[in-house]
Amino acid sequence: MTLIPLPAQAADVPFPTQAWPEGDLPAGLDRARFDALMDQGFAAFGETHAVVIVQGGRLIHERYGPEHGPDKTCMSWSKAKSITQALTGILVGDGKLDVFAPADVPEWKTPGDPRGALTLDLLLRMSSGLEFSEVYLPDQPSDTIAMLWGPGKDDVAHYAADKPLAYAPGTFFSYSSGTTNIVARTLARAIDAYGPDFEAFMRRRLFEPLGMTSPQPKFDAAGTFIGSSFCFTTARDFARFGLLYLRDGVWEGRRILPEGWVDYARTPTFQQPDCEEGPYGAHWWLGRGGPGSFSANGHEGQYTVVVPDLDLVFVRHGRTPLELRDGLKDWMGEMVELFR
């Protein structure tokens, strides 16, 4: 398929490494409709903590809920998965990893174990076929809850990697936080860095070059980055992360992500015809802001939506109950559509 081209940063707009260059909402924007939708966004979907909009590399609008502001970190939940995807790309660029080779997972090393053939590509595309129940309700059986807060919490990657295959690899899309934690440990094994050492790698190679000073990644007792769920970050810093992807992994003339890595993230993954989720790329969701867009999404309504044809990044954080999730998605689609 043909992907919408990613726009370059305008020569007269600095990257927001130190501070965000600011701009105005577009002159042709329906401001009355924009204001009404923004009011709705802070009133109708549970709690909305932050909305940050960047266009052309400039911060053009931000609004915060009670007890929140530009310096307040927000829950990432599964937006951390897209950070894990970026870290994977960095190590691919370093020659430390090959996403199409069998992943380095100790639990799968027994001769004859079919899981031993699983690649990082299958894991990043949530197509490994591994059994995992991605449920967030305490009254239902949930591998996610057991992994993050129950018997698996001290070694999240082992908990997930110990699961059997439920489907033939590559034939069934199944969104799984366990999958991401397997990936996160694979990254640590590739550079022999765990806990504080891995965090130092994250900061040195990803956060600091972008001017992201707020991220607070969380680790389990085994020293694995809980890349499925936990990297507290301000909305402005999540916008910086989105801008990196909008700029094809290049920041201030320096290539942070290898060439083609952003396109890999936004290339659609096979999903079975009756799949209720998606579309999905490689640890990024697709289409949330219209055709060609891609996004880092998290539980309870965390979003960083990247819209190449509008040169736009739209960030939303809050706590939206499950029953209001579809309405929130529609709201974000309407907000982005106003800029067309």
Side-chain angles (χ1 to χ4, degrees), residues 86-338:
L87 299 170
T88 305
I90 289 170
L91 293 182
V92 167
D94 288 350
K96 301 284 189 182
L97 290 172
D98 178 354
V99 295
F100 299 108
D104 177 18
V105 180
E107 291 85 354
W108 305 343
K109 298 293 189 182
T110 303
D113 189 331
R115 299 173 301 176
L118 295 178
T119 63
L120 278 172
D121 176 62
L122 287 168
L123 295 169
L124 289 167
R125 295 192 176 281
M126 300 293 184
S127 302
S128 68
L130 290 171
E131 175 188 289
F132 197 86
S133 172
E134 186 78 12
V135 177
Y136 294 86
L137 300 174
D139 61 339
Q140 297 181 15
S142 169
D143 283 318
T144 309
I145 292 173
M147 177 182 67
L148 296 178
W149 296 284
K153 65 182 177 60
D154 289 338
D155 194 342
V156 294
H158 173 70
Y159 178 89
D162 206 35
K163 294 289 184 179
L165 286 175
Y167 301 95
T171 68
F172 193 85
F173 173 86
S174 181
Y175 184 78
S176 160
S177 289
T179 294
T180 307
N181 291 328
I182 297 171
V183 173
R185 187 184 59 181
T186 302
L187 308 187
R189 289 174 62 85
I191 56 174
D192 192 23
Y194 301 85
D197 292 338
F198 192 83
E199 181 175 347
F201 158 72
M202 296 173 74
R203 296 193 184 281
R204 183 178 69 256
R205 298 295 301 279
L206 180 61
F207 300 148
E208 290 173 2
L210 275 56
M212 292 176 66
T213 59
S214 70
Q216 300 172 23
K218 303 301 180 185
F219 294 78
D220 67 11
T224 299
F225 168 48
I226 308 175
S228 65
S229 311
F230 297 133
C231 191
F232 295 76
T233 304
T234 64
R236 282 186 173 191
D237 272 355
F238 269 121
R240 286 182 169 93
F241 182 66
L243 184 64
L244 173 68
Y245 274 74
L246 188 61
R247 297 295 180 250
D248 194 27
V250 174
W251 196 269
E252 293 187 326
R254 172 186 174 189
R255 179 158 286 286
I256 306 298
L257 305 176
E259 187 173 359
W261 191 251
V262 174
D263 284 354
Y264 171 70
R266 62 192 183 120
T267 298
T269 289
F270 165 79
Q271 292 179 293
Q272 58 276 18
D274 60 347
C275 183
E276 296 180 356
E277 302 175 284
Y280 198 75
H283 266 45
W284 285 77
W285 296 90
L286 308 180
R288 182 54 52 219
S293 66
F294 54 110
S295 58
N297 302 357
H299 181 54
E300 294 186 323
Q302 325 311 321
Y303 291 96
T304 296
V305 185
V306 179
V307 191
D309 66 313
L310 296 175
D311 199 4
L312 185 81
V313 178
F314 188 98
V315 176
R316 187 271 181 182
H317 281 272
R319 293 189 64 185
T320 296
L322 186 62
E323 63 270 18
L324 298 178
R325 181 179 63 180
D326 290 344
L328 175 63
K329 291 179 180 179
D330 291 342
W331 172 82
M332 285 193 303
E334 287 188 69
M335 288 295 303
V336 171
E337 193 63 29
L338 281 178

Side-chain angles (χ1 to χ4, degrees), residues 12-52:
D12 62 343
V13 180
F15 278 83
T17 312
Q18 300 300 323
W20 275 101
E22 297 184 3
D24 299 319
L25 291 167
L29 184 77
D30 184 342
R31 188 56 190 266
R33 180 62 178 154
F34 177 88
D35 290 343
L37 278 174
M38 191 61 66
D39 288 344
Q40 179 191 14
F42 278 80
F45 306 112
E47 300 175 19
T48 294
H49 299 156
V51 171
V52 170

Side-chain angles (χ1 to χ4, degrees), residues 56-72:
R58 297 181 183 274
L59 177 65
I60 62 171
H61 186 83
E62 62 182 338
R63 179 169 166 178
Y64 298 93
E67 301 180 6
H68 286 79
D71 298 326
K72 182 70 176 287

